[in-house]
Amino acid sequence: MTHDDLKFADDRPILLKKYDLLDRAGFAQRLALAITSWKNQESLVISLTGGWGSGKSSIKNMTLEQLEATQSCQVIEFNPWQWASQEKLSSAFFEEISRVVQRQDSGDKDKKLAKLLRHYGRYLNTGAGVLSTTAKWTPVLLGSALVTTALASVADGEAAKVTIWLLSAASWLGTIAPWVKKLAGAMTNHSKSLGQQAKDNELTLGEIRAELQKLLSARTKPLLIVLDDLDRLSAEQMKAMFQLIKAHMDFANVVFLLLFQRDTVEQGLNKVGFNGADYLDKIIQAPLSVPAIANSQLQAVLSSRLDAILTDEPQLQERFDKEYWEQMFERGMRPFFRNLRHVYRYTSTLAFHSRLLRGTEVAEVNAVDLFALECLRVFAPETYAELPRYKALLTDSEPFARKDQPQQARVNHVIDQLVNLAPSPHQSAIRQLLQEMFPTLDWALTNTNYDQTEKLRWLARSRVCCDQVFDRYFELSIPLEDIPNSLLHELGRRITDPVEFTALLISHEEERQAEILQRLLGLVDEFPLDQSLAVVQTLLRAGDHVGRRMSFTNWSPRLQITRLLRLFLERHELERTRSELVIEAFAAMPGLVVMDQLLGAEAALRRNGDVGYLDDAGFEQLKTLYVEALQQVAKRDPDVFLSDENHASYLIDLNRYSVGGDGGRRWVESHVTTQARFLLFARGQVNFRTSHSGGRSTRTDYISSTALEQMMGLARCAEWLDQLDVGVMNNCELETYRLVEDALARHARGEAESWSD
């Protein structure tokens, strides 16, 4: 299969032993030898039984290949199921035989035989209107045996026996009268016609059968009649076929090879009044079963086909997790593959769906999860179809769901429902597959919990258990609002280039930036350690350019950048190494936003007595470098500094980290010297709180009087308000004015701050 030539696998039986993948050619060879060795005055009935897709027809084809190679048997293949519903079967069959005879030799004898065959076929078809469906194809089987006998006679130069052959066939047809349905009326006239023909040729019925037995006994090669797909017949058709075989088991040098699934045929015969098992035992002298398939052989075929899919889909191959695959296959998938047909059905559609989700540079799904879900879709389609209905539960993303006993019982109940939708032989494997694919349920199924780092890895690997990627497995496409893996891959590739990484990231809207960075958290392990300095510089730079808005469902892009940096630093074991790395990167590229977040998180850890990311000396040195960088920026252009939407945090840091603990307030006193700068300063102090009522969310902006007091003093703020001309303000400035006014009023009333600053 080439990259641009998608083909479904052909699960039809093989025709030649050179295509044998399961080492059954030897079995077929021995079966052929047994058939050619039969020389007896009675027929031999051999059955080859096995389940659907077990390889019965493939063994038959290899057996016939061996017989053809040795020229030791004359073969007539007849599939009654293919003809069971066709009209004028006799006429069509003999027309075809006559054409074959005439093509082989254009001599006068064979021309005459071909003519008689066509005439005989049309003659037999005159009673078709009163014969049942089974009766239509009964004479075909008998006729095919007799045609072979007649051809052997002609080959021996006994042309006179053609006439006897026709009379023998007519009499033989008469022997099946007792079990042909509704034959009585039509058979009366038909038997008179056949009787008249016998009379005309001065042969009795006994003489015809004796001549037929003589012809068969004289043959040097047995006549093999192959009947395939008997298990596809209706119960009545099964009855007719097996009665036909039973009625003619006394002919010499005739071997019947019957192929069917035994339990299906037994059930069919039971429906029409027989004891199916006993009846088959009376007819079949040599019952054979299809050899069992070694698990190693079947797995080798499956592995070969999966390797071919991965070869054609390098995106899937690139991130293929062999350890996860072995675990998934051994615990959940192996039981589904019991024969080659299962393998072919599965790999055909898997190749098709892999093409849909391969992505551009990297796969958009996890290959192992895709393989497992395809197993569900092929072998347990009802279970597969129900999975999207339970997306939130399976991905552990139900809003406000608690991990308590009622929820645990609900999870187990849903899993039981999904399992019970599958065919009973597969239910145990289905349960295991679901547990492997959805570790998000382990808290309820096995009392196992996973930390946030592990969940980020699932997301980075596009596991189906993550609600962000679940839909693509079932929609078989990438939703427009989703984050494609190709974008994440490109960002990962640019992580050592601060300019290119930042440019690609900020080309997306602020809310989408946060989602992208959330997904990147799981790829931190792939950032190159040998280029750690460049990685840290990239993250420092990006932090100064991404958005700061936080949503209800995600951190702000700035916070996500800092989380990326902290996770990357954790890959370096020593705190000293981390400190040196950040110090060197910050000296070359002073990213103020990320350093604000990093130092704030480090200080909080230390206040709580936890171990930080940095060593003590490094932490102190970074604080000094950060304060110096802030002071330089703030002094260089106070207006630009105040226009930075993050300047309020910087002023707090100047208070927190500078000598004396008031560096921010001193800068405000020195530089907030105009009405415009006061409004910019006040705007930086704006915060907001959100309230929920009646299913609606309301945002309320406010300014903390405590923050104003710390940075400027409330009295000085009041003086600025008195100086401002409200009439010349724009809407933003007017809103800021009113928020400062409200903060001063609340303080004057003695109202406590009811929110966190």
Side-chain angles (χ1 to χ4, degrees), residues 15 102 372 443 594:
L15 298 176
Q102 196 161 13
W443 71 270
V594 172

Side-chain angles (χ1 to χ4, degrees), residues 31 34-40 42-47 67 73-76 141 221-227 245 248 251-258 285-286:
L31 177 57
I35 292 171
T36 58
S37 300
W38 181 256
K39 296 187 183 299
N40 203 298
E42 292 184 354
S43 298
L44 172 66
V45 181
I46 304 172
S47 68
L67 291 173
C73 188
Q74 284 188 299
V75 179
I76 299 169
L141 175 64
K221 300 177 182 179
L223 177 67
L224 175 64
I225 301 174
V226 182
L227 300 174
I245 296 166
H248 298 92
F251 287 106
N253 289 331
V254 175
V255 179
F256 291 92
L257 177 59
L258 316 179
Q285 294 116 315

Side-chain angles (χ1 to χ4, degrees), residues 10 136 175 343 395 437 459 532 540 597 599 619 637 648 687 718 722:
D10 183 1
K136 290 181 181 180
T175 64
V343 172
T395 59
M437 283 189 290
L459 183 60
S532 292
L540 289 175
Q597 301 287 343
L599 293 177
F619 181 46
D637 192 329
N687 222 317
D722 291 339

